[in-house]
């Protein structure tokens, strides 16, 4: 049975830890949590909204859902997100710092923004990010496909796992300094194969190749 948890306080930090439910973070009129998870604890204290599965359900997780509604325009100070084996879907999420520890489900994000730092630890599924901007990104892929479209700033590192990667950097090539290390599989940048492209932009992107092809291209950012 779907339960609704109303959150009346001002929320500045978000912490979610679940095992295997399908998790969605969507835009809403106010902070609201809906779920049919049997063992779920929703707490608010000092501007922190904590959503935690306190006990692993011994039964089936089929049709288990957790939906978190966030008011439009919200910029969190920090978002910590730990998922298990369920699908994760995010509309738009903005924070100063992001820390994602992802499990074995597919991840789809329409717009992801981190103004200070982002740490994403991939699990065993496809990660797709359609837009946004990430500063000082540290991405550690697991087993699965990466489809990343984002502006990157500062010093960013991506350690690839097992699976192909499709990376679209928003902005021009002159915005970036690329440091590419080939793994097992080709690296192509704008259709050219290799690792040395002589870029010298202000934003450093280091990619350590894993097992699988890496395809990178540049695209001008959409006007907001």
């Amino acid at each position: 049975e779907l339960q609704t948890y109303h959150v009346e306080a001002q929320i500045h930090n978000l912490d979610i830890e679940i095992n295997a439910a399908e998790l969605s973070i969507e835009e809403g009129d106010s902070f609201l949590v809906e779920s049919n998870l049997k063992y779920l604890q929703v707490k608010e204290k000092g501007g922190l909204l904590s959503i935690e599965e306190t006990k692993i359900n011994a039964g089936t997780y089929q049709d288990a859902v957790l939906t978190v509604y966030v008011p439009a325009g919200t910029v969190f100070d920090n978002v910590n997100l730990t998922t298990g084996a369920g699908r994760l879907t995010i509309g738009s999420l903005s924070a100063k710092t992001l820390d994602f520890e992802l499990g074995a489900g597919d991840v789809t994000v329409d717009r992801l923004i981190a103004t200070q730092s982002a740490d994403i630890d991939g699990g065993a599924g496809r990660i797709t990010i359609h837009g946004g901007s990430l500063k000082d990104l540290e991405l550690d892929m697991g087993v699965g496909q990466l489809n990343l479209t984002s502006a990157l700033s500062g010093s960013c590192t991506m350690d690839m796992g097992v699976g192909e990667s499709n990376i679209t950097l928003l902005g021009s090539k002159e915005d970036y300094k690329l440091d590419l290390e080939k793994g097992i599989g080709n690296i192509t940048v704008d259709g050219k194969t290799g690792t040395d492209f002589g870029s010298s932009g202000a934003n450093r992107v280091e990619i350590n190749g894993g097992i699988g092809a890496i395809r990178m291209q540049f695209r001008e950012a959409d006007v907001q």
Side-chain angles (χ1 to χ4, degrees), residues 23-43:
L23 171 61
S24 299
I25 300 177
E26 303 177 9
E27 183 179 310
D29 295 328
S30 61
F31 286 103
L32 187 71
V33 179
E34 291 182 340
S35 180
N36 58 3
L37 284 171
K38 187 174 182 180
Y39 305 105
L40 189 70
Q41 180 175 265
V42 179
K43 296 192 302 182

